Structures are given as C-alpha cells and as structure tokens.
Amino acid sequence: MKKLISVALAGVMALSLAACGSTPASEPASGSTAASAASGSSAASASASTESKQYIFSVDELTGKTVGVQLGTTGDIYAQDIEGATVEQFNKFNDAVLALKQGKVDAVIIDNEPGKVFVEQNPDITMLDEDFAVEDYAIALNKGSEMTEKFNEAIAAIKENGTLDAILDKYINGVEGAEGYVTPEGTEYPNGTLTMATNAYFPPYEYYEGDEIVGIDAEFAKAICDYLGYELVIEDMAFDSIIPAITSGKADFGAAGMTVTEDRLVNVDFTDSYCTGIQSVLVLK
C-alpha cells in the first residue's frame, strides 16, 4: 500500500495530533527519563526534557517493537513479518501517528509521500533514511472486467502526453505554478459515470480540500475517465473496504495508492502501474 511535497500541500493537512509526552512503548531505560531521575536536579531534568526521544535508527531495530499500521495496507502486511513485533492496526494513518506521539507504538509504517506530510506537520517525529520496501501503485478493477484493458489504454496515453508528469509536478515535485490536470472545455460523458472507491486520508494521493477530494489519484482518475468518456464519482471509505466495494459492484474501480500484491490479485485485477511507492518508517525524533 501505500512517492518531494509542495509547500502548498502542507496547508491542507489539518492534523490535530497533540503530543502527550508519555514514554514510548519500548524505549530503553537509558532514555531521558532515567537520566533525569539519576541527576535529581531541576537543571538536569530540564536538560533531559530537551533530549532526542529517537531510539529506533534502522529497520532492523523494529524487531520486537510495537508497530502501527493502517488496516489493510501493504504496510500492515509487511509488519506481520517483523520478528517479535506487535502490530497495532488503525483505520487511519492520522490515528497511527497520534499513537506514535503518545508513546503507544514505537514506529509507524507508512507510504513515503504521506509520511513526509506527517513529518512536516509534526516536528516531534522523523522518517528513517532507510526504505522499508519499494512497490508499484496501480488501479484495481473487478476480476475479468473489460474495463481493465480500456484503463490501460488511457493510462498509456496519459503518460505519453505528459498529463501524469503534470500531476506529479503539482503534488510531488514541487514545480511552482504546476496546474496538474484540468478537464478540457467541451468534454462530454456519453458513457455515463464511473465510481472510484478511495480512502481520502492519504496525501498527496487523496485528501480533502474543503468538501472536495483532491490529489494525485483523484486527478489521474479524472483524466482517465475524461479520456474514456465517463463522468467520475469519488466515494470515500475505509481502506480495507475498497476491494469489497469493487467486487460487490458498489464501485467500478479503486485508486488509493494501492500496491499490487498476490493476495489482492485473488479478488481483483490491476492496471499497469502508474507510480512507484516506497514504504517508510516514522519514529519519534
């Protein structure tokens, strides 16, 4: 599941994540709390309170730790293979990051680009330099759907004509004045509508700007639907509800920074990849 952010994006990520200052779930006894107790002086206590709280510096150090993930993401899948780790599942990454700040989990596995947004908005957390995993993002459609071939045709055209690059320039590459994708005047929708299932708490791929869902996937899907002559409808839901929505017919396709995995391929088909994603690790700073 689940890839530089423009300065403008920071304003849309309204996080109410207040640090509670509690001891991290697996912090060694040699941390600032122990140092403060040993000194006993108010000066030493004040000094200790400003010390770094980071105690995980590599992916290997996740062994035996408590790791937060978003339910149903590839980070959730990968975390299950960490030796001795306790995996805490959350419906939203916002909740996982809050748990990290409160010391309820030791780390959060998250896609790289959304992770950068959380780091920018929360000065008390940081991202490990080491990648946890590298993966491909694609669009999910119902098993055997004739639309998969049509989507691949649209994706190839959108890549070739520079539309995808324009979208990435707007949301990731930080190109000043980049407009992304804008529906051309006179576009018509003779084929009806297509409903996209997503989880709109995954910036810069999908997130709310006021009442509107925007982001890379939203604009990319719009470009695809415009190309194919369909009007796009976006439905926000829990991430682990996206594939069931597709298989039940409640949604026509899913786009939410979704990684192609063998387990998911049992239930849905995927288009050609349109972005490369990186799973990263957030820890206390």
Side-chain angles (χ1 to χ4, degrees):
M1 305 133 247
K2 200 174 167 324
K3 13 164 243 151
L4 303 161
I5 305 265
S6 67
V7 175
L9 178 58
V12 303
M13 192 64 188
L15 297 176
S16 56
L17 300 177
C20 295
S22 57
T23 303
S26 302
E27 185 171 6
S30 58
S32 61
T33 302
S36 177
S39 68
S41 69
S42 59
S45 296
S47 175
S49 66
T50 62
E51 289 180 7
S52 170
K53 295 181 179 180
Q54 186 171 353
Y55 55 96
I56 295 175
F57 296 90
S58 72
V59 169
D60 289 342
E61 293 177 8
L62 294 176
T63 300
K65 298 296 193 296
T66 301
V67 180
V69 298
Q70 185 180 30
L71 181 65
T73 61
T74 49
D76 186 3
I77 297 169
Y78 298 149
Q80 309 298 330
D81 294 329
I82 301 173
E83 184 179 354
T86 299
V87 180
E88 294 289 344
Q89 299 169 314
F90 299 87
N91 287 325
K92 298 177 183 178
F93 276 125
N94 302 54
D95 298 331
V97 173
L98 178 59
L100 173 64
K101 293 164 65 69
Q102 293 175 332
K104 295 178 180 178
V105 300
D106 301 302
V108 172
I109 298 177
I110 187 172
D111 294 69
N112 183 262
E113 294 300 335
K116 290 177 182 177
V117 177
F118 283 108
V119 169
E120 184 176 348
Q121 293 292 323
N122 296 274
D124 52 345
I125 62 175
T126 190
M127 181 185 293
L128 296 185
D129 293 334
E130 182 182 358
D131 296 339
F132 189 82
V134 179
E135 55 200 12
D136 289 324
Y137 287 168
I139 293 172
L141 296 104
N142 217 344
K143 203 74 177 170
S145 172
E146 63 180 17
M147 293 300 295
T148 303
E149 184 177 350
K150 294 180 179 180
F151 266 59
N152 282 336
E153 175 190 330
I155 289 170
I158 289 167
K159 286 181 177 180
E160 185 176 353
N161 66 22
T163 296
L164 178 57
D165 289 336
I167 294 171
L168 297 180
D169 282 346
K170 176 180 178 179
Y171 289 101
I172 288 182
N173 299 331
V175 176
E176 187 175 353
E179 293 185 355
Y181 175 74
V182 179
T183 298
E185 285 189 30
T187 299
E188 297 181 352
Y189 307 106
N191 298 321
T193 63
L194 288 177
T195 299
M196 165 181 147
T198 194
N199 177 245
Y201 296 90
F202 193 65
Y205 288 89
E206 40 271 318
Y207 59 95
Y208 279 98
E209 195 170 78
D211 295 330
E212 183 183 5
I213 296 174
V214 299
I216 295 170
D217 286 337
E219 288 195 20
F220 189 58
K222 180 61 174 169
I224 290 172
C225 289
D226 285 355
Y227 179 91
L228 296 175
Y230 291 90
E231 186 171 7
L232 175 65
V233 176
I234 303 178
E235 294 287 344
D236 182 21
M237 60 188 67
F239 186 87
D240 61 340
S241 296
I242 293 175
I243 289 179
I246 297 169
T247 58
S248 68
K250 293 180 180 179
D252 297 296
F253 67 98
M258 296 189 73
T259 305
V260 181
T261 68
E262 292 301 323
D263 287 344
R264 290 172 180 167
L265 283 169
V266 172
N267 297 302
V268 295
D269 289 334
F270 281 95
T271 64
D272 296 333
S273 175
Y274 62 94
C275 276
T276 298
I278 297 173
Q279 292 290 321
S280 297
V281 180
L282 301 183
V283 297
L284 288 176
K285 195 171 187 178

